[in-house]
Amino acid sequence: MVRRTKAEAQETRERIIDAAERVFHDKGVSRTSLNDIAKEAGVTRGAIYWHFKNKHDVFAAMFERQRLPMESMANRAEDPNETDPLGKFREAMIYVLCQTVLDPGRRRVFEIMFHKCEFTAETDPLMERQREAFLDGSERTRRTFRNAIARGQLPASLDIERAVVQLHVQMTGLLYVWLLLPEAFDLQAEAANFVDCYINSLTHCPSIAGP
Amino acid sequence: MVRRTKAEAQETRERIIDAAERVFHDKGVSRTSLNDIAKEAGVTRGAIYWHFKNKHDVFAAMFERQRLPMESMANRAEDPNETDPLGKFREAMIYVLCQTVLDPGRRRVFEIMFHKCEFTAETDPLMERQREAFLDGSERTRRTFRNAIARGQLPASLDIERAVVQLHVQMTGLLYVWLLLPEAFDLQAEAANFVDCYINSLTHCPSIAGP
DNA sequence: TACTATACATACGTTTCTGAATGTATGTAT
DNA sequence: ATACATACATTCAGAAACGTATGTATAGTA
């Protein structure tokens, strides 16, 4: 065997990432060796070292594969020409929550991120990644809220910073808790309720909505 | 040297846990060896193996040391004779948030729990611990809310299950986000606001408060 | 005072993982 | 058809890290 065509090689790369996703999820990132991933993917460590630098590189590639589809969706609500920014925002939030329930791949990656990997000191590039993603997401949300205010969908007195933080807290908390104890509540069925409860607070909670 | 008195041995045990706390926090749980902990504590691995079974045992002891003081505080609000259960509940939540900011030890342990350790399959006793803590905390909260309803502090139409889930989501999300990015917002200054916003939703958000 | 359990330190054998080096067969370009 | 690059597999040396076994000096204890 060996020496596949370029397309086959790309398939091998994907298979390795798929395998890593499953093994990371089952054993935790630190406890999985490259050999574990190789066996699950049906290759040897040599193949992994060909496509990736090391385990961290596999890990990063796994997240990159999930990041791209997320990006596109976030872009919708923050378009200044969108006539219903709050509606699109609502849809996006509900979509993320339901997608986490329905798409096993996304669910696994979120679960790995929340419960099966360790973030270490500032030296760790992953920490920096998280930080950037947070700041970037915050900026998107800020733009969306400004659009919604301009269209009269949110009060002009809205405390945008508190609203942004609260959004992250809400979404992070929801995913964290549900992924830890899926039987605690029905995320898919309750998703719209949770989101509406949050949006409701943007106009009715005094400390966020303003006077 | 060696062969200390019983009191000194207890001090050694505490020093090992202290050291583990710091090293776990700096390097992450999986990347710290027992030798790392021993060096930080100024002992050898032999001392650790005397007091603990293995690294997991040290880890568990670290959490146990934090659990006890938390327990006592939670007991206050759920006392049926308490005339102001909602007020005590509010105080307890704010206390936990501020304590996380002010007590470096508690902050470290929370940070380890959220960002520096891996929860693996159901077989893992840690997972079970978390699960039990969640269910136990939920039951306490339920009792507290029932007391508050009986005293007229919360509406009788309150959806208790949703309120309980929302509480966990809120607190978990707050701590998770703040521990990841402490500069994102001032948790100590905003603690009361966050809690009041949640309590406000218990009487004003339609999907939780009821008609 | 002598003996024993305690509270560690030290030494050892084993396992496991990594990264690199090397081998090899095939795709691909000329 | 040849030559080189590619896509892996295989092998090897070294480093950690673990658990245990053993050494040892002192605190309790009778």
Side-chain angles (χ1 to χ4, degrees):
Chain A
M1 61 177 73
V2 297
R3 179 49 182 165
R4 309 287 161 72
T5 178
K6 284 190 180 183
E8 287 172 323
Q10 190 58 26
E11 277 178 30
T12 302
R13 195 189 126 98
E14 295 296 314
R15 282 224 318 282
I16 291 172
I17 298 182
D18 289 340
E21 227 177 79
R22 289 192 295 270
V23 186
F24 283 161
H25 180 268
D26 288 352
K27 305 184 59 172
V29 174
S30 68
R31 271 196 277 264
T32 73
S33 68
L34 288 184
N35 206 22
D36 293 330
I37 299 175
K39 264 193 274 186
E40 175 77 16
V43 295
T44 65
R45 285 192 308 123
I48 298 179
Y49 274 108
W50 173 254
H51 287 285
F52 306 94
K53 193 182 167 193
N54 50 33
K55 193 167 80 175
H56 269 80
D57 200 26
V58 178
F59 186 80
M62 187 185 76
F63 278 110
E64 195 61 18
R65 209 172 62 167
Q66 287 286 340
R67 202 178 56 87
L68 302 178
M70 304 272 281
E71 294 279 292
S72 63
M73 202 196 46
N75 288 337
R76 293 179 203 163
E78 58 172 331
D79 180 4
N81 296 323
E82 171 61 50
T83 57
D84 181 19
L86 193 61
K88 283 283 176 296
F89 170 78
R90 189 187 107 102
E91 281 175 23
M93 284 181 69
I94 294 175
Y95 180 79
V96 168
L97 295 178
C98 289
Q99 197 67 4
T100 304
V101 180
L102 300 172
D103 178 1
R106 171 149 312 171
R107 175 173 172 176
R108 266 197 301 265
V109 173
F110 272 147
E111 212 166 335
I112 292 167
M113 181 176 169
F114 279 121
H115 300 304
K116 284 138 192 322
C117 73
E118 300 176 1
F119 295 104
T120 58
E122 289 75 23
T123 63
D124 197 325
L126 269 181
M127 204 79 171
E128 212 43 48
R129 271 272 178 182
Q130 283 284 101
R131 212 176 294 269
E132 284 170 23
F134 177 88
L135 297 175
D136 189 56
S138 296
E139 191 46 38
R140 288 166 188 280
T141 310
R142 244 174 245 124
R143 279 198 288 270
T144 304
F145 284 169
R146 283 198 218 102
N147 291 344
I149 291 172
R151 306 259 174 192
Q153 295 185 312
L154 288 176
S157 58
L158 179 73
D159 186 328
I160 292 186
E161 289 314 309
R162 277 184 182 162
V164 168
V165 168
Q166 188 63 25
L167 173 66
H168 271 92
V169 165
Q170 195 74 20
M171 292 294 280
T172 304
L174 259 178
L175 293 176
Y176 185 97
V177 171
W178 184 76
L179 289 169
L180 191 66
L181 299 132
E183 72 278 13
F185 59 100
D186 186 339
L187 179 56
Q188 192 185 358
E190 299 273 353
N193 252 322
F194 279 116
V195 174
D196 288 334
C197 186
Y198 168 72
I199 292 178
N200 181 70
S201 77
L202 296 184
T203 56
H204 291 92
C205 178
S207 63
I208 297 183
Chain B
M1 61 178 72
V2 299
R3 180 50 183 165
R4 309 284 161 72
T5 178
K6 284 191 179 184
E8 286 173 323
Q10 190 58 25
E11 278 178 32
T12 301
R13 195 189 127 97
E14 295 295 315
R15 284 222 318 282
I16 291 172
I17 298 182
D18 289 340
E21 227 176 80
R22 288 192 296 271
V23 186
F24 283 160
H25 181 269
D26 287 351
K27 305 184 59 171
V29 174
S30 68
R31 272 196 276 265
T32 74
S33 67
L34 289 183
N35 207 21
D36 293 330
I37 299 174
K39 265 194 273 187
E40 176 77 16
V43 295
T44 64
R45 287 193 306 124
I48 298 179
Y49 274 106
W50 174 255
H51 287 284
F52 305 95
K53 192 182 167 192
N54 51 32
K55 193 167 79 175
H56 270 80
D57 200 25
V58 178
F59 187 81
M62 188 185 75
F63 278 110
E64 194 61 18
R65 209 173 61 168
Q66 288 286 339
R67 203 179 56 88
L68 302 178
M70 305 270 282
E71 293 280 292
S72 63
M73 202 195 45
N75 287 337
R76 294 178 203 164
E78 58 172 329
D79 179 4
N81 296 323
E82 172 61 50
T83 57
D84 181 20
L86 193 61
K88 282 284 176 295
F89 171 78
R90 188 186 109 101
E91 280 174 24
M93 284 181 68
I94 295 176
Y95 180 79
V96 168
L97 295 178
C98 289
Q99 197 67 3
T100 305
V101 179
L102 299 172
D103 179 1
R106 171 149 313 172
R107 175 172 171 175
R108 267 198 301 265
V109 173
F110 273 149
E111 212 166 335
I112 292 168
M113 181 175 168
F114 280 121
H115 301 304
K116 285 138 192 323
C117 74
E118 299 175 0
F119 294 105
T120 58
E122 289 74 24
T123 63
D124 196 325
L126 269 181
M127 205 80 172
E128 212 44 48
R129 273 269 179 186
Q130 283 284 102
R131 213 175 293 267
E132 285 170 22
F134 177 88
L135 296 175
D136 188 56
S138 295
E139 191 47 38
R140 290 166 188 279
T141 310
R142 243 174 248 125
R143 279 198 288 269
T144 304
F145 285 167
R146 282 198 219 101
N147 292 344
I149 291 172
R151 306 257 174 195
Q153 296 185 310
L154 287 177
S157 57
L158 179 73
D159 187 329
I160 292 187
E161 289 312 309
R162 278 185 181 160
V164 168
V165 168
Q166 188 63 26
L167 172 68
H168 270 92
V169 166
Q170 193 75 20
M171 293 295 279
T172 303
L174 259 178
L175 293 176
Y176 185 97
V177 172
W178 184 77
L179 289 170
L180 191 66
L181 299 133
E183 72 279 13
F185 60 99
D186 185 340
L187 179 57
Q188 192 186 357
E190 299 274 354
N193 251 322
F194 280 115
V195 174
D196 287 335
C197 185
Y198 167 73
I199 292 178
N200 181 71
S201 78
L202 296 184
T203 56
H204 291 92
C205 179
S207 64
I208 298 183

